[in-house]
Amino acid sequence: MTAPASALYVGRVEHRRIRPRPHALAYRVFWMLLDLDEIDDLHRRLKVFSRDRRNLFSFRTADYGDRSGRPLRPQVEARLAEAGIETGGGPIRLLTMPRVLGYGFNPISVFFCHRADGALAATIYEVHNTFGEIHSYLIAAEGGARPILQDSAKAFHVSPFLTRDMAYRFRLAPPGDDVALHIAASDGEGPMLFASLAGNRRELTDGALLRLLVTHPLLTLKVTAAIHWHALLLLAKRIRLIRHPGPAAGDVTVGRQSG
């Protein structure tokens, strides 16, 4: 019997702003790596995790994609096809924080889109902001080398302290025994912000989830609270507020693989 691809990753998120005044944050986080074809089995097998139903931990389909609640696999495959990427029905796995006690907020979730032979073909970085908006960056991820380097223009307003006239450089180590993502955000003067996540793999079981409920209580609520707390600290440092420039042009921005 093939071992499930779905797993837990436990680690940290860090942000470091270097201009116009330094600011940094770090907090402990855990994520679920969910194979889209295994979620129904996890719903049946696990007592403390449910799909589209309240539980200690839950996955709500309508939190992702077009937020209609329609199955995610055809949504992802349609986006890949529009970008000229065919995967032949290969695995699609989502790295995301689950809802905890019904509450969820993910600043960034990552779809890992594989070909039928298991090779990684593309990633989709799905970004949420605190204004209730969502946008995705779709980028090829060929070759199998770690780390994967990718670039994209910034198209989506995330922080009221950063303009949209910026570019992202993604440095990604796809899920294995560990997972890591480093994002550098730059403007015309060079790098301004570095953000990273990193975690180590653990088996996805009821026992592991219950331990995380103790060691990382109210995870997603704390993430939201940390965002607002650090916004107040940036205001105290007299970092200029940026007016929301309006929605992104389209739901998906296609970037490019650079290495």
Side-chain angles (χ1 to χ4, degrees):
M1 183 176 178
T2 304
S6 300
L8 293 167
Y9 284 86
V10 181
R12 289 168 60 86
V13 164
E14 297 183 3
H15 284 220
R16 181 168 59 91
R17 183 185 181 119
I18 60 176
R19 291 189 285 112
R21 279 171 282 283
H23 185 78
L25 64 89
Y27 47 88
R28 297 183 304 151
V29 185
F30 71 88
W31 302 267
M32 283 182 159
L33 180 70
L34 297 171
D35 188 300
L36 297 189
D37 293 333
E38 295 178 355
I39 297 176
D40 286 341
D41 180 65
L42 294 171
H43 171 87
R44 290 187 294 266
R45 177 169 62 85
L46 298 174
K47 293 181 174 60
V48 299
F49 171 81
S50 294
R51 176 177 186 161
D52 294 327
R53 194 174 68 192
R54 291 182 68 90
N55 202 331
L56 292 179
F57 301 91
S58 57
F59 175 84
R60 185 170 177 261
T61 307
D63 289 338
Y64 305 90
D66 65 8
R67 295 192 281 189
S68 66
R70 296 186 298 115
L72 289 174
R73 172 176 275 279
Q75 290 192 53
V76 172
E77 290 177 334
R79 288 184 171 180
L80 292 170
E82 289 173 3
I85 299 172
E86 299 293 339
T87 58
I92 299 173
R93 295 165 186 152
L94 172 62
L95 186 73
T96 191
M97 289 185 291
R99 285 180 172 254
V100 180
L101 299 176
Y103 179 79
F105 177 71
N106 272 281
I108 186 168
S109 299
V110 187
F111 288 92
F112 295 90
C113 309
H114 299 258
R115 301 195 189 282
D117 64 1
L120 186 64
T123 54
I124 300 176
Y125 301 98
E126 189 172 279
V127 181
H128 294 242
N129 64 23
T130 55
F131 304 101
E133 300 167 328
I134 184 172
H135 189 77
S136 293
Y137 296 89
L138 189 161
I139 312 177
E142 303 281 1
R146 283 169 63 113
I148 295 168
L149 300 179
Q150 301 163 310
D151 294 286
S152 178
K154 182 182 179 183
F156 180 60
H157 185 69
V158 180
S159 167
F161 300 96
L162 292 171
T163 71
R164 201 160 64 187
D165 186 20
M166 303 184 75
Y168 291 136
R169 161 60 63 97
F170 300 91
R171 187 174 186 269
L172 172 68
D177 291 336
D178 53 28
V179 65
L181 172 63
H182 183 274
I183 305 171
S186 302
D187 62 10
E189 298 179 24
M192 178 179 282
L193 176 75
F194 300 98
S196 66
L197 64 83
N200 296 313
R201 186 182 180 99
R202 296 185 187 177
E203 187 178 359
L204 176 50
T205 64
D206 282 318
L209 286 169
L210 288 172
R211 287 190 290 273
L212 288 170
L213 190 64
V214 175
T215 58
H216 297 67
L218 301 177
L219 170 70
T220 47
L221 183 61
K222 285 187 174 181
V223 169
T224 302
I227 289 171
H228 289 94
W229 171 245
H230 283 277
L232 291 174
L233 294 179
L234 289 171
L235 284 173
K237 291 183 176 182
R238 298 182 180 178
I239 305 296
R240 182 171 65 94
L241 279 171
I242 306 297
R243 184 185 298 275
H244 194 310
D251 298 327
V252 180
T253 296
V254 178
R256 65 180 181 87
Q257 185 174 356
S258 53

